[in-house]
Amino acid sequence: MQKLQQSLCCQQCHFSQLCLPYSFKGKEIERLDDIVVRKSPYQKHQRLYVSGQPLVSLYAVRSGSFKSFTLSEDGEEQITAFHLPGDIIGFDGLEMMQHQSYAEALETSMICEIPYDTLDHLAGVFPKLRQQITRIMSGMLCQHQAMLLQLNKRSASERVLYFLASLGQRFGDRGFSDKAFRLSMTRSDMANYLGLSIETVSRLLTQLQKEDKIEVEGKLITLLDKAIPS
Amino acid sequence: MQKLQQSLCCQQCHFSQLCLPYSFKGKEIERLDDIVVRKSPYQKHQRLYVSGQPLVSLYAVRSGSFKSFTLSEDGEEQITAFHLPGDIIGFDGLEMMQHQSYAEALETSMICEIPYDTLDHLAGVFPKLRQQITRIMSGMLCQHQAMLLQLNKRSASERVLYFLASLGQRFGDRGFSDKAFRLSMTRSDMANYLGLSIETVSRLLTQLQKEDKIEVEGKLITLLDKAIPS
DNA sequence: CGACATGTTGAGACACATCAAACTGAGTGG
DNA sequence: CCACTCAGTTTGATGTGTCTCAACATGTCG
């Protein structure tokens, strides 16, 4: 049991450099470990939280993947992000201390739950932790800005390629291949996120393949040299 | 001179409830006042910072307005936000401690400069301040999520109306009329922000006027009852 | 194996972009 | 004070990228 705990702690986690423990020393990381709750696995389609629910914790993806989305008044879904291991989910709920979106597992996934009141308290004590939280939120703002450019200025084809390339880069950051990976989301999810129709996404995937920019085999994607922007 | 300083301090500022001092008591707000630098006015088109520049301060809009934008490799502008009095600009630079965008005055404007290292230090000391910074950044994430829905799911007409309505609401939050206001940005800026062409924005403004949803007189906008979503 | 979600491909429609031209208004100089 | 200029705005005519509708193919899970 002790060993299991050990294997699950932040020091052992492969994604700690992307997550909260970034640049932490022994003492600080132990305090973080104390407050983190390792939950049982989430199954595909299972929700981490729903919109309107009081925010008590943030959630770090340990394995698997999630999507975040909002629902408009008339019930249409808008996916706002896909989350990979090391990502932290729930920051949009801190303003009102109520979740402003939904988070749903795209596959069987593991989660570390981080109670927010204790995290905030630690943020007062450890400047490094405070700065890391700030850094993560700031990075999310930058991502949104890049996305805005894509949606407003780029063609459907460019958006699809951008999506695959940035996903590849994120896999690369996590020590996986940045060229070949498996999509955990459906074509419908991709289309929703990119503001396109399912049919357009499907067509463009085959077209990009014809242009020798990518290889597609169902959910398996390989980025070829031509995919890299000129 | 002492009086001038007084009239410029956070306690006297009409927009403090939107800004950092939100829910602050005397002692804390004074410390904030100590570190804030009131700068001379910025003229139209003058830039607060440029992309790539090291981040040393955040900036609170005191009066007037600004736009934030990024430039793509091939030099095309993408406006990411418009800033009104009480807004704080520069959060996207905290990840790299380097500004990731440009901020430019849309009209003659006053700014409060907030040195970031001292702000961060105060954030360690005052939980309220730390929470307010978090709240502001979280709110920006929510705004981006709402924008994503607009860009991906709404028609050009709906986007223009949404833009005017949310601008009106923000004016309302600041104690101005939420129904009648003057746009400080050009049609081109609006179009750029909303991912539309200038011509489309212009056409839709006249069309919305014909539908008795708004009144347009150059830069002066009035929202009519019909503008409020059904 | 059957059922149902997911993905692909084609044909036609349409919302918005682009191109083009005229209009307006603020600032400038004669 | 008026003519000039130029950025900003409006309006019209035409083009096109992507959506919609429809049919079919594939994969997945009981």
Side-chain angles (χ1 to χ4, degrees), chain B residues 127-186:
Chain B
K128 284 262 179 65
L129 177 61
R130 183 169 68 246
Q131 283 154 25
Q132 177 62 357
I133 294 171
T134 305
R135 192 156 31 220
I136 290 171
M137 293 184 79
S138 173
M140 293 175 71
L141 291 173
C142 291
Q143 275 187 304
H144 274 121
Q145 290 177 356
M147 189 66 187
L148 219 57
L149 181 72
Q150 290 295 318
L151 295 179
N152 278 352
K153 296 280 189 298
R154 300 290 179 240
S155 70
S157 173
E158 290 170 313
R159 281 186 236 177
V160 171
L161 198 54
Y162 165 82
F163 174 75
L164 296 176
S166 58
L167 207 52
Q169 191 173 347
R170 292 171 67 198
F171 280 122
D173 294 341
R174 284 155 181 80
F176 304 120
S177 167
D178 61 344
K179 298 280 181 234
F181 48 86
R182 202 193 106 267
L183 299 173
S184 59
M185 70 289 294
T186 65

Side-chain angles (χ1 to χ4, degrees), chain B residues 20-190:
Chain B
L20 285 178
Y22 172 85
S23 81
F24 265 35
K25 302 203 191 73
K27 205 80 178 172
E28 296 166 327
I29 212 170
E30 280 170 29
R31 297 291 300 275
L32 195 61
D33 261 324
D34 292 343
I35 72 164
V36 169
V37 183
R38 277 84 187 177
K39 313 256 295 191
S40 55
Y42 279 75
Q43 298 304 318
K44 189 174 180 174
H45 296 139
Q46 198 177 345
R47 288 182 179 175
L48 218 41
Y49 52 76
V50 301
S51 184
Q53 180 180 324
L55 184 148
V56 296
S57 297
L58 300 178
Y59 302 89
V61 181
R62 194 169 172 73
S63 69
S65 54
F66 285 78
K67 66 174 175 181
S68 282
F69 60 96
T70 58
L71 291 182
S72 68
E73 322 74 54
D74 41 334
E76 50 189 349
E77 175 176 325
Q78 175 59 57
I79 297 175
T80 54
F82 296 104
H83 306 285
L84 303 183
D87 287 344
I88 300 176
I89 313 182
F91 285 110
D92 59 337
L94 293 177
E95 185 189 24
M96 320 285 285
M97 278 306 178
Q98 248 188 340
H99 291 288
Q100 300 297 305
S101 56
Y102 300 75
E104 190 177 304
L106 294 172
E107 58 195 313
T108 305
S109 304
M110 299 290 288
I111 279 291
C112 298
E113 182 178 344
I114 309 160
Y116 184 68
D117 53 352
T118 46
L119 179 66
D120 180 57
H121 176 254
L122 280 188
V125 181
F126 299 122
K128 284 262 179 65
L129 177 61
R130 183 169 68 246
Q131 283 154 25
Q132 177 62 357
I133 294 171
T134 305
R135 192 156 31 220
I136 290 171
M137 293 184 79
S138 173
M140 293 175 71
L141 291 173
C142 291
Q143 275 187 304
H144 274 121
Q145 290 177 356
M147 189 66 187
L148 219 57
L149 181 72
Q150 290 295 318
L151 295 179
N152 278 352
K153 296 280 189 298
R154 300 290 179 240
S155 70
S157 173
E158 290 170 313
R159 281 186 236 177
V160 171
L161 198 54
Y162 165 82
F163 174 75
L164 296 176
S166 58
L167 207 52
Q169 191 173 347
R170 292 171 67 198
F171 280 122
D173 294 341
R174 284 155 181 80
F176 304 120
S177 167
D178 61 344
K179 298 280 181 234
F181 48 86
R182 202 193 106 267
L183 299 173
S184 59
M185 70 289 294
T186 65
R187 302 283 192 265
S188 175
D189 285 337
M190 281 180 59

